[in-house]
DNA sequence: GTCTATACGCTGATAGAC
DNA sequence: GTCTATCAGCGTATAGAC
């Protein structure tokens, strides 16, 4: 039972929010400090370099996804429904804060990221794509999906559509995000 | 016949490249100045504020697209082929420099952009979506397309897929971009 | 752990000489 | 048009007191 306020976690929460909102080059330690009513230097105590903070955020997001995936694996639902749950993650981003997903934010900033963050980004994206691929492949074997081409390609397609939609909706809202997910489903699930 | 070197155009060309590569907050006047071997202050002569430069880039890209669209309209090709030509624009980004498209770059930075740039971004994205919608709608009327839902939703779906794919490929390359366009086609063109 | 103080390069931007 | 000089503010980051 933790009663102590976890400053480190708070820093990460706020920084992750800022990252999704403004991109890696669009926020500073000052922004975080002000939000927490602490001083700039205090953040350096937890994360000596901004790179450390960035890496920690990506790594945590990866673990969060893996935990989510484990929860989904336990559920007794069909593969199409699992893909649907995946789409719901993105829907949350759109509806709550018009935020971009972490992958998309990191990808557009990719060439400006320090090497360690680039590495973590690749791992993060791979983790998600591999999960999608696994679900698609298994679902196809059980005739719950029907699509041409490899599961890998299909995974890329799904991820692309969701990620792009989340971003576009930001500037053209309100536009039905559900319309995108419906098309993704129809593309894999015309069985 | 212009023989004079157009510094203003050169600045815009380099800035646009930097914008696609690094995002709006990821490049500075210094970067442009160094690339052109001129001084920081000289750029301010052409574009007093960075906002002016940003707006000019978006506006030019919009006009470039409109010109492209006019060229496509003149071509005696079917609607599916027109969508295919549209996909090829994105393919160029991926294959040449692993660059992100302008819309995607601006969208992820959206909340950090000055108001004038936000406005131009909306206009730019709308222009493209409206073109797509028009082509999809006309093609559907001629039975060259077959899709459910509105042309508007379908336009969003296509744009999302392409934009997302271009970004993801950046970190997971080499991944077949064509696989994404093939799926987009199959989704609208199963006639 | 959190603070104050401080370093220093980079940022967008301006004034004025040539 | 392009330059030099200069600016104030912000960026990440460190040292050391409390």
């Amino acid at each position: 039972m933790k009663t102590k306020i976890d400053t480190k976690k708070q820093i990460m929460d706020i920084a992750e929010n800022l990252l999704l909102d403004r991109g890696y080059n669009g926020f500073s330690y000052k922004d975080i400090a002000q939000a927490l009513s602490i001083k700039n230097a205090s953040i350096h105590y937890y994360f000596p370099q901004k790179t450390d903070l960035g890496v920690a955020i990506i790594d945590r997001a990866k673990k969060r996804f893996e935990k989510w995936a484990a929860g989904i694996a336990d559920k007794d639902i069909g593969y199409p429904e699992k893909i649907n749950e995946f789409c719901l993650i993105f829907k949350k981003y759109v509806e709550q804060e018009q935020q971009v997903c972490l992958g998309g934010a990191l990808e557009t900033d990719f060439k400006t990221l320090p090497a360690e963050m680039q590495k973590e980004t690749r791992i993060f994206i791979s983790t998600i794509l591999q999960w999608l691929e696994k679900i698609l492949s298994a679902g196809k074997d059980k005739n719950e999906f029907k699509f041409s081409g490899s599961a890998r390609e299909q995974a890329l397609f799904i991820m692309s559509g969701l990620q792009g939609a989340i971003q576009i909706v930001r500037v053209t809202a309100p536009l039905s995000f559900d319309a995108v997910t419906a098309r993704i489903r129809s593309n894999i699930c015309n069985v």
Side-chain angles (χ1 to χ4, degrees), chain A residues 147-159:
Chain A
F147 54 82
S148 57
S150 67
R152 174 80 180 159
E153 286 170 359
Q154 193 67 33
L156 175 66
F157 174 70
I158 291 174
M159 186 74 180

Side-chain angles (χ1 to χ4, degrees), chain A residues 80 139 142-147 185-191:
Chain A
K142 294 219 173 184
N143 283 320
E144 293 185 31
F145 294 133
K146 189 177 172 184
F147 54 82
R185 271 198 301 278
S186 85
N187 205 63
I188 53 175
C189 210
N190 48 2
V191 73

Side-chain angles (χ1 to χ4, degrees), chain A residues 10-22 27 32 53 56-58 60-61 64 93 99-100 102:
Chain A
Q10 282 185 298
I11 292 169
M12 287 179 69
D13 289 344
I14 288 166
E16 184 173 354
N17 247 293
L18 286 165
L19 176 54
L20 296 179
D21 251 19
R22 308 172 59 89
F27 76 94
I32 306 168
L53 176 55
I57 289 170
I58 304 171
R60 186 177 70 166
R64 192 193 297 145
Y93 281 113
Q99 275 179 342
V100 139
L102 187 57

